[in-house]
Each structure stands twice: as structure tokens, then as C-alpha cells.
Amino acid sequence: MTILSVLLGILLAGSLVYCLLILLATQRYLSVPRPPVGKTRPMSVLKPLYGQDEGLEENIRSFFEQNYSSFEILFAVHRADDPAVAVVEKLQREYAGRSESRLIVTGESPIPNAKAHSLQLLVAEARHGLLAMSDSDVRVTPDFLKHLAGEFEEPNVGLVTCPYRAAAGHSLWSRLEAIGMNTEFLGGVLVSRLLEKMKFALGPTLAVRRDVLEEMGGFEYLRDFLAEDFVMGQRAAQLGYEVVLSSYVVEHRIGSQPMRKNIGHRLRWARSTRRSRPAGYWGQIFTYPLPIALLFCAVQANAWPAGAVTIILRSLAAWATSARVLHDPLTREQWWLLPLQDVLGFLIWIGGFWGNRIVWRDRKCTLLQDGRLQINP
């Protein structure tokens, strides 16, 4: 019991230091001046679609509403009868003459990562040298493209990736996941940025120079990875380009999945992270101070002062990311769900150490050691 107490005490101390690092990392991120509105660089917005997400029409509409003079929007679906087609065509009619857009039917993906297959074909169709890639569940304000263009003013910037505020659906599981994204996940992103700069990208929205994408091997290289967005940022940094965590926060609308589907996709991404950053995945133990404090208090008599300090620092760290960076109303209004999410997130992290089989977009796949996907026979 003494050895266990010492081990938990060390882990708890590390977790409390991590909370302090989140506070410092948040301040560093917020202290960077917003970039000036730069030249209106012609930009291609690439949006792979699959089915009709909750709020899809308003999500897509927000891209048609951009206050930007030179851009195109390219959509991709696998099948002509995909429900997203009707939504896109309705908006194309509504914005005819105001926004340039095209819809491409790609056919079924021959590779496991169907999103990467769509992006590969969209890049080939895109006319401009600056490519913004955004998921179907992302919603933005009319000044989104202006912000991105400003952040490419520095010539060495090769890729810009946007932090995101998760907007939950109606289910409890959706709210728990959103609170985790807006506190635990973003905290990890900011600390990584503080300690080693940005050497990865976030999937919901990123922008890259076409020549940088080609230099890293394009989607011929990226398309077999589950986390192709992470690898894209990693490759850009390896090639010597600056990867910027944008000052612009997009809204990521995660919908209302029931428990089984929600836990399933969270486990999928945990396993993907384990493959993409093995050492970093082990280090995530320090991102769960509340569960560690509970275990410490359970095995160590009179440990309540450590528990009290943990509650204070975890609350401050959650406030720094969710309120100061993301302006998240969910965490502010339902803060009492944070301990439950921390425990659930800890259990999912543990579960991520086991298994390499996942189901993604109705396909059964095996996640290989290097993070690539293989379709199961």
C-alpha cells in the first residue's frame, strides 16, 4: 500500500504541475497578437460530406456566407443519393451568383480513410494555392477566411490549424464529450504548443499551402492514416514549415450520439492517438488529476488537502481553456459534469491501450502500428 501511495502521489504531483502548465500555456496563446487582415488570397474550401449531420444545412451555409472576395467551395460525396446532396444543391441555388461552388461524386472509397480519399480528389479539382479543409460538422462566422488569410502572411507558415469549441447535442454523452474537448483536449493542445511548438494539426479545420502539401507527398502519402490531419501537421513541421494554432476558434457540432456509439468513437480516437504519438499517449496520465486524486485519497489517510488543491487547480485549468479561449457556454452552465467527464475520460484512456480493430464509416478496419488503416477482409 505504501508503494502504491507513493506512486499515486508522484502522479498527482505531476498532474498538478500539468494544470499549472495549462494556465501558463493559455496565457501564452492569448498573448499572441491577432494577425492583421492580409491580402485576399484566392482560397479553395474543401468539404467532404457523408450523410446528413445534425445541423448540416446551417453548417454549410456559414461557409457560403463568407465575407471574402475570392474563394470557391468544393463538396465531395461518395454517392449521388447521399442525403447531403440535396442540402448542397439547395444552398447552391440560394447562393447562385454570390458564391462559387461545385459538388463532386467520388464513388466509393477504395481505401479505409474515406475522408482522405475525398480530399485527394477535391485537391485535384481545386483551382487555388491555399486550401482550407473543413469537416461537415463545423460552423464558422463570416470573417473566418479573412482570419486564415491573415495568418499566412508570414512566408514560412505552411499550415494553420484551428482550435474548436465543441457544441453538444441533446444527449448526456454528447455533453460529456464536449466538456472533455473544451477542457482536457484543448489543454493538452496548448501545453504541447508551449513545450515544443505545434508539430501536429487538428482535424475539424485546417488550411495548408498547396505546394507544402505536395512537398509532404500529398494525399498519396496521407490517405492511409486514420489521423491524416495529425500527420499532415507533423509532416509540415518536419519539413521546416511553421504550423500555427490559429487565433480563430471554429464551432464543432458533435451531435447527439447514444452511449454505445459515443464511447465507440472515443475509443477509436484514443487508439489512433496511441498509434500516432505512443510516448505522448503514456504522458496523458497527467491530464487526469481528479481521478488520480480520488485514487490517492482512497489509499492514503488524511489526503483531503491534496484533493482540495486538485479540485481548485483542475477548475482553474478548465476555466482557462473553456472560458478564456473558447467562450464555451456549456462548461460554464453545466460545470458539475466535469468530474464525471474526467473519470469517463480516464477510463477511455485506459481502454485505448487495448485493441486495434475499429469500425469507421461502417467499415471494419485494423489500425496498424504506424497509425495506418487496413480494411478487414
Side-chain angles (χ1 to χ4, degrees):
M1 188 65 72
T2 303
I3 295 175
L4 180 59
S5 296
V6 170
L7 176 61
L8 288 172
I10 292 172
L11 291 176
L12 182 58
S15 295
L16 298 181
V17 170
Y18 176 75
C19 289
L20 294 173
L21 284 174
I22 289 177
L23 297 175
L24 176 59
T26 299
Q27 185 58 41
R28 288 284 180 87
Y29 170 75
L30 293 173
S31 67
V32 175
R34 280 180 169 257
V37 176
K39 302 173 185 176
T40 303
R41 303 168 182 271
M43 199 176 305
S44 296
V45 179
L46 314 181
K47 293 194 75 69
L49 304 176
Y50 182 82
Q52 189 161 356
D53 297 327
E54 189 175 306
L56 179 64
E57 181 174 335
E58 290 308 310
N59 297 344
I60 295 177
R61 184 186 300 276
S62 70
F63 287 85
F64 277 101
E65 291 280 352
Q66 289 302 297
N67 182 17
Y68 199 74
S69 61
S70 181
F71 74 102
E72 62 175 356
I73 313 175
L74 278 67
F75 302 96
V77 292
H78 301 313
R79 297 162 54 98
D81 60 355
D82 190 297
V85 171
V87 177
V88 171
E89 290 178 342
K90 174 188 174 184
L91 291 170
Q92 285 179 318
R93 290 191 297 270
E94 185 176 337
Y95 289 88
R98 295 171 54 189
S99 298
E100 181 184 353
S101 66
R102 283 173 282 155
L103 175 65
I104 300 166
V105 179
T106 65
E108 294 295 341
S109 173
I111 59 173
N113 190 334
K115 173 186 170 183
H117 171 66
S118 294
L119 285 171
Q120 182 176 13
L121 297 179
L122 287 173
V123 168
E125 290 287 331
R127 295 171 180 164
H128 304 312
L130 197 56
L131 308 171
M133 305 174 192
S134 180
D135 289 350
S136 59
D137 52 11
V138 167
R139 194 173 296 183
V140 294
T141 57
D143 58 348
F144 164 65
L145 292 182
K146 283 186 176 180
H147 276 275
L148 283 188
E151 286 171 322
F152 279 97
E153 282 295 286
E154 293 296 326
N156 197 48
V157 173
L159 185 147
V160 174
T161 186
C162 293
Y164 51 88
R165 177 177 58 254
H170 301 298
S171 72
L172 170 64
W173 305 101
S174 173
R175 284 178 281 147
L176 290 171
E177 182 181 9
I179 288 173
M181 287 181 176
N182 295 342
T183 59
E184 170 199 324
F185 177 76
L186 181 61
V189 170
L190 293 175
V191 170
S192 294
R193 176 183 177 274
L194 173 71
L195 297 180
E196 58 178 7
K197 297 186 177 181
M198 290 296 294
K199 295 183 178 179
F200 56 92
L202 310 179
T205 304
L206 61 86
V208 64
R209 297 182 196 272
R210 183 192 289 270
D211 57 347
V212 174
L213 180 62
E214 291 171 352
E215 190 175 346
M216 66 177 71
F219 279 96
E220 281 293 328
Y221 172 78
L222 297 165
R223 66 181 196 165
D224 292 329
F225 291 94
L226 173 59
E228 85 291 332
D229 40 60
F230 176 92
V231 176
M232 197 183 305
Q234 185 182 61
R235 288 285 293 146
Q238 289 171 348
L239 291 169
Y241 295 100
E242 185 178 356
V243 178
V244 172
L245 182 63
S246 177
S247 61
Y248 185 90
V249 176
V250 302
E251 187 171 81
H252 176 35
R253 305 185 70 85
I254 63 177
S256 298
Q257 289 182 319
M259 180 185 72
R260 186 173 179 178
K261 284 189 175 181
N262 183 271
I263 299 298
H265 94 250
R266 293 180 70 174
L267 276 171
R268 182 184 77 221
W269 286 113
R271 290 165 182 160
S272 171
T273 303
R274 188 192 79 204
R275 296 296 196 191
S276 300
R277 301 183 73 186
Y281 193 77
W282 279 99
Q284 284 185 22
I285 182 66
F286 296 110
T287 68
Y288 300 104
L290 288 180
I292 294 172
L294 286 173
L295 293 172
F296 184 61
C297 290
V299 302
Q300 179 66 43
N302 302 317
W304 66 264
V309 171
T310 302
I311 291 172
I312 292 170
L313 287 182
R314 174 64 179 124
S315 299
L316 287 173
W319 166 79
T321 57
S322 65
R324 295 194 66 200
V325 176
L326 300 179
H327 307 289
D328 170 37
L330 175 64
T331 307
R332 183 183 68 243
E333 295 167 3
Q334 301 189 30
W335 55 268
W336 46 272
L337 288 175
L338 182 62
L340 180 57
Q341 158 53 31
D342 279 2
V343 172
L344 178 60
F346 181 64
L347 294 175
I348 289 171
W349 174 76
I350 293 173
F353 281 101
W354 284 274
N356 61 356
R357 293 182 180 271
I358 64 172
V359 178
W360 193 33
R361 295 282 175 92
D362 302 322
R363 291 185 174 197
K364 295 180 180 180
C365 305
T366 297
L367 185 59
L368 304 179
Q369 190 67 35
D370 63 354
R372 297 175 192 266
L373 279 174
Q374 176 179 287
I375 298 177
N376 294 343

